[in-house]
């Protein structure tokens, strides 16, 4: 696995991992790390996910993770969680609750208007591409590709502060991972419609923030 190879070459103090990696799941990664015969097995690990349902969090903790961060990841929550797990404390597991306006305003304070504008453009591109990939994959009957696209959409939405869209995409990802097919098309249609509205909202909110700078 690429993550394990990099870990062997570059020592780190803490691991932040998505739950869906290119060659394994985040929970499998942590189980593998916990089984290592050296000090790496004690590295603090934190899941970063748009899906903070009870079942997902239970799987993370059962795999040996020390905590989790919900998307969107607010800078103060990131710092607080890293400080806690590195000190051996249980982090506050209260999910981040931030709308797009609050999230973008926080980013502007932390990183400046230019970096925030770049993030918005990247987020819009990723959200629109993810929605298009879901639609195309389902039209082709490829549920696995649609599931991966839903995961990417959930992550992109979370990174942009589009919490409702992130949760909807994560729920669609779980539906596509199951065996039941009834209602998937309607769920997908609802998620795609939400993606379009969310992209419009993000453009509007950023434009308002830009005017008020």
């Amino acid at each position: 696995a690429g993550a394990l190879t990099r870990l062997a070459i570059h020592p780190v103090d803490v691991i932040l991992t998505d739950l869906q990696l290119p060659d394994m799941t985040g929970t499998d990664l942590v189980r593998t790390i916990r089984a290592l015969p050296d000090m790496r097995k004690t590295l603090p690990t934190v899941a970063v996910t748009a899906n903070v349902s009870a079942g997902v969090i239970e799987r993370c903790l059962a795999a040996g993770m020390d905590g989790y961060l919900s998307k969107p990841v607010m800078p103060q929550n990131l710092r607080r969680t890293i400080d806690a797990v590195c000190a051996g404390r249980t982090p506050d597991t209260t999910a981040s609750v931030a709308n797009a306006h609050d999230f973008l305003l926080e980013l502007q304070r932390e990183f400046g208007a230019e970096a925030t504008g770049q993030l918005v453009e990247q987020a819009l591109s990723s959200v629109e591409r993810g929605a298009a990939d879901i639609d195309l994959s389902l039209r082709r009957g490829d549920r696995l590709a649609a599931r991966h696209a839903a995961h990417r959409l959930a992550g992109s939405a979370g990174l942009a502060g589009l919490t409702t869209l992130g949760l909807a995409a994560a729920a669609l990802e779980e539906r596509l991972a199951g065996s039941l097919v009834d209602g998937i098309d309607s769920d997908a249609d609802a998620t795609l419609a939400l993606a379009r509205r969310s992209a419009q909202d993000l453009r509007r909110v950023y434009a308002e923030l830009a005017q008020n700078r």
Side-chain angles (χ1 to χ4, degrees):
L4 292 171
T5 300
R6 286 191 289 272
L7 181 59
I9 299 172
H10 304 289
V12 298
D13 296 317
V14 62
I15 296 172
L16 305 179
T17 180
D18 198 334
L19 295 184
Q20 190 64 50
L21 304 174
D23 46 10
M24 61 169 47
T25 67
T27 51
D28 286 340
L29 171 66
V30 174
R31 289 191 187 96
T32 302
I33 291 172
R34 294 291 180 248
L36 292 173
D38 53 41
M39 290 300 293
R40 289 175 296 170
K41 67 182 180 182
T42 63
L43 276 171
T45 61
V46 177
V48 182
T49 176
N51 187 349
V52 291
S53 65
V56 170
I57 299 310
E58 287 173 3
R59 290 197 294 273
C60 290
L61 299 179
M65 293 189 186
D66 298 286
Y68 68 89
L69 284 164
S70 63
K71 299 176 183 178
V73 178
M74 303 294 281
Q76 68 271 26
N77 288 348
L78 175 62
R79 287 192 292 267
R80 185 166 54 242
T81 298
I82 290 177
D83 287 346
V85 297
C86 287
R89 302 192 310 269
T90 300
D92 179 7
T93 55
T94 302
S96 302
V97 179
N99 57 37
H101 178 277
D102 293 342
F103 182 63
L104 294 180
L105 189 60
E106 180 77 12
L107 285 183
Q108 282 194 168
R109 290 171 180 160
E110 289 280 338
F111 305 113
E114 182 177 354
T116 301
Q118 292 174 352
L119 182 145
V120 169
E121 292 302 321
Q122 292 171 0
L124 285 170
S125 176
S126 296
V127 164
E128 291 167 350
R129 184 169 60 250
D133 287 346
I134 291 172
D135 186 38
L136 180 60
S137 297
L138 288 177
R139 290 179 186 276
R140 291 175 173 172
D142 189 343
R143 287 182 58 176
L144 179 60
R147 176 188 172 189
H148 289 163
H151 178 82
R152 293 193 299 272
L153 177 59
S156 299
L159 290 174
L162 301 174
T163 307
T164 302
L165 175 60
L167 293 173
L172 178 61
E173 179 190 1
E174 286 198 353
R175 284 294 314 275
L176 289 165
S179 58
L180 297 178
V181 297
D182 290 346
I184 284 183
D185 286 343
S186 60
D187 286 351
D189 288 343
T191 302
L192 296 179
L194 179 58
R196 290 190 291 270
R197 293 196 302 273
S198 297
Q200 293 172 353
D201 288 344
L202 184 59
R203 287 191 177 92
R204 175 182 54 77
V205 168
Y206 182 67
E208 291 173 355
L209 287 176
Q211 289 178 349
N212 294 328
R213 282 204 296 267

